[in-house]
Amino acid sequence: MAAPMREEGRLGDVNLQEAPVPTQPVIETQRFVLRPLRPSDAGLIAHYTSDRRVAEGTRAIPHPLPPGASESFVARALSANRTEDVWAIDGSANRLAELLGVVSLTRMEGEQSELGFWVGAGFWNTGFATEAVEALVAANPHGARTLFAEAFQDNPGSARVLTNCGFVYLGDAESWSVARNARVPTWTYLRKMD
């Protein structure tokens, strides 16, 4: 599951002072905070997503990661006209890494949002992804009535995160994976919000 990383310009191409940037809440969990990305996150994002296993678990992260891709991703996350809100999973207050991964919400029509996430491979099987998704769902910063998510069928760990967070299996589909350069079977999930 991934917060998309598409190539669309570089950090220097975006003037962050042109328009007020919509605010994203900081969301606290027991072991970390979810906070908006900042330009200094680009290095760790590039480090983690250069791992083929991380990239192949997502739809939009290429492998190998092109120069400037993580800076472009951060710039889009800070843009005033973004449709996706991205939070860093920041464990620095608890002596963990400043960036463990990311979790995102992309606005869709009709009070719906799509959830995406990834964590660095060194943090797999720690419960960080589940804790981040639970916190984002509980906060529901988009005020969504329905959340959607998907996991590649060869990534049962991401599927477990979703089911552990109250998402219900909706059906099978396929999504393009940039890193794999192929369509990959997915499981689609839905979470109705109260």
Side-chain angles (χ1 to χ4, degrees):
M1 184 53 68
M5 269 182 63
R6 295 177 190 92
E7 285 190 71
E8 295 174 11
R10 301 181 54 84
L11 187 57
D13 295 341
V14 176
N15 183 345
L16 299 176
Q17 305 303 318
E18 287 179 359
V21 176
T23 60
Q24 285 178 232
V26 173
I27 303 165
E28 294 188 34
T29 76
Q30 184 175 355
R31 296 185 287 175
F32 49 77
V33 298
L34 302 179
R35 61 159 174 80
L37 291 183
R38 51 187 176 222
S40 61
D41 292 327
L44 282 174
I45 289 171
H47 174 71
Y48 296 144
T49 60
S50 67
D51 185 318
R52 178 182 294 276
R53 298 168 299 168
V54 173
E56 288 184 349
T58 73
R59 290 184 301 205
I61 299 174
H63 190 274
L65 193 67
S70 60
E71 290 85 357
S72 294
F73 175 67
V74 172
R76 285 188 311 281
L78 296 174
S79 173
N81 62 353
R82 68 183 182 269
T83 58
E84 176 186 37
D85 289 326
V86 182
W87 286 264
I89 304 171
D90 184 337
S92 59
N94 291 316
R95 298 179 187 211
L96 297 167
E98 185 174 353
L99 187 112
L100 304 164
V102 302
V103 63
S104 69
L105 287 174
T106 302
R107 289 172 186 80
M108 301 169 67
E109 292 181 14
E111 297 180 345
Q112 302 176 107
S113 291
E114 182 179 15
L115 179 129
F117 63 91
W118 60 261
V119 294
F123 308 114
W124 290 353
N125 299 311
T126 61
F128 291 155
T130 298
E131 190 172 335
V133 170
E134 282 176 341
L136 194 58
V137 166
N140 193 12
H142 285 183
R145 291 181 26 191
T146 307
L147 295 177
F148 291 93
E150 69 179 5
F152 288 138
Q153 290 182 12
D154 60 1
N155 186 352
S158 287
R160 272 191 307 278
V161 167
L162 295 171
T163 57
N164 288 343
C165 295
F167 284 78
V168 176
Y169 172 76
L170 190 60
D172 292 0
E174 286 185 341
S175 284
W176 183 260
S177 168
V178 173
R180 301 179 197 210
N181 195 31
R183 295 195 68 75
V184 181
T186 62
W187 293 308
T188 303
Y189 292 88
L190 160 82
R191 165 98 193 237
K192 291 190 183 241
M193 305 300 286
D194 298 329

